[in-house]
Amino acid sequence: MTRRALITGITGQDGSYLAELLLNKDYEVHGLVRRSSTFNTKRIDHIYQDPHQKDTKLFLHYGDLTDAQNLTNLVLRTQPDEIYNLAAQSHVRVSFDAPEHTLQVTGVGALNVLEAARLLNKQKQVRVYQASSSEMYGDVAETPQTETTPFRPQSPYACAKAYAYHQVVNYRRAYDLFAVNGIMFNHESPRRGETFVTRKITRAATRISRGLQDKLFLGNLDARRDWGYAKDYVESMWLMLQQDGPNDLVIATGETHSIREFLSFAFGGVGLDWENYVEIDPKYFRPTEVHLMQGDGSRAKECLNWEPTVRCRQLAEIMIEADLELARKEVEQSLNST
């Protein structure tokens, strides 16, 4: 019997890779998409077929995590076996400018997913994956961070994620709902949004190398992060819902690199010295900084037999290769328009 999954945030980086993974495993996949004035399905256009075709297994539904009734109706109508809540206002810096919106989408939105799952669970067993974040550790109490490291969030986004995390634990205990938190450390890819620092760097490096851009403006270059590959990380999401019982797990590479190092990897990939092109702009500093993130993924290895296959330098190479192709197309378009 074909299994059915619902993915919120399906048009995002993680959602698109997860949709590919599940379709390859012969799932019927339903995705929640926010309606906007422009199409925002670019990351999944290559797998999205005409919904009227008989053989399609990917279905998109308009909705929003903050609309609890519509979300519940969708869950009860589609009857998923698995729900992956990946949708969020996920930009940390933006969360300082829009804290209430961030809490409603990232925090209360997760609660709405859990409540819909609770109602469905009365009819059939459903399993829920919540995308938690290493940002919850904030001003870290210990390094590396594990499943038992205390949360000390340093941003509205991190606070919202911590709220969602504890609601998952609460629903698991109170209602016997199979719900898990994947505490995801930073994970990137060529599908990462261009406002996030790694993609901002690889886009700038490739554009500068082709004469399309002169400078790159950044904030704190000393922040250190545990960077993995999003395509690796979505496999851990699926694995967490295939276990006999629910466990909250850290998903990480166990390595840490500074933004300076990532700059070196990226600009080195196009034969440039980043120090000649990067300038510091105070507007990119956060009101409170998270300086060091390093995850201990040993329990994920033990419980899931999961390990990352791509490390930071190789990740930068993957992203540079994809963004060089985008820069090449930009140059072609520029030449064709003159």
Side-chain angles (χ1 to χ4, degrees), residues 106-107 110 114 130 132 159-169 181:
T106 307
L114 290 165
Q130 166 64 22
S132 289
C159 290
K161 280 292 188 182
Y163 172 90
Y165 174 97
H166 287 297
Q167 288 292 4
V168 168
V169 175
N181 289 289

Side-chain angles (χ1 to χ4, degrees), residues 194 199-215 267 270 272 320 323-324 326-328 330-331:
E194 293 183 22
R199 187 76 195 291
K200 187 176 179 180
I201 289 170
T202 58
R203 279 291 278 150
T206 53
R207 295 187 85 248
I208 289 170
S209 74
R210 295 297 182 265
L212 296 165
Q213 186 172 329
D214 297 321
K215 292 287 184 181
F267 276 79
V270 293
L272 298 175
I320 283 290
D323 283 337
L324 274 172
L326 287 182
R328 183 189 65 77
E330 278 191 81
V331 171

Side-chain angles (χ1 to χ4, degrees), residues 143-306:
T143 300
Q145 292 87 54
T146 72
E147 290 80 6
T148 59
T149 302
F151 298 149
R152 298 163 66 174
Q154 292 272 87
S155 69
Y157 167 75
C159 290
K161 280 292 188 182
Y163 172 90
Y165 174 97
H166 287 297
Q167 288 292 4
V168 168
V169 175
N170 178 46
Y171 270 67
R172 190 164 65 216
R173 292 173 177 170
Y175 304 114
D176 199 28
L177 181 67
F178 192 114
V180 300
N181 289 289
I183 307 174
M184 311 289 280
F185 280 67
N186 294 67
H187 47 288
E188 320 295 319
S189 76
R191 299 181 192 175
R192 188 60 143 153
E194 293 183 22
T195 60
F196 291 85
V197 66
T198 51
R199 187 76 195 291
K200 187 176 179 180
I201 289 170
T202 58
R203 279 291 278 150
T206 53
R207 295 187 85 248
I208 289 170
S209 74
R210 295 297 182 265
L212 296 165
Q213 186 172 329
D214 297 321
K215 292 287 184 181
L216 169 61
F217 296 92
L218 295 173
N220 178 16
L221 303 187
D222 296 316
R224 302 184 66 86
R225 293 293 183 268
D226 185 328
W227 278 303
Y229 184 28
K231 194 170 183 179
D232 278 347
Y233 281 38
V234 298
E235 184 181 8
S236 74
M237 300 176 184
W238 177 77
L239 286 169
M240 287 181 71
L241 294 193
Q242 311 314 309
Q243 305 307 302
D244 292 336
N247 279 303
D248 303 323
L249 296 173
V250 165
I251 306 299
T253 71
E255 296 180 0
T256 181
H257 297 273
S258 70
I259 292 174
R260 291 178 190 275
E261 288 177 271
F262 196 90
L263 282 164
S264 179
F265 297 154
F267 276 79
V270 293
L272 298 175
D273 182 348
W274 68 267
E275 295 191 48
N276 295 329
Y277 303 97
V278 174
E279 294 186 10
I280 303 300
D281 188 335
K283 76 177 181 181
Y284 293 115
F285 282 87
R286 303 175 185 175
T288 50
E289 286 284 350
V290 174
H291 299 287
L292 172 63
M293 292 276 106
Q294 182 179 5
D296 178 354
S298 56
R299 280 200 67 214
K301 181 179 179 180
E302 177 186 344
C303 297
L304 310 177
N305 195 28
W306 178 90

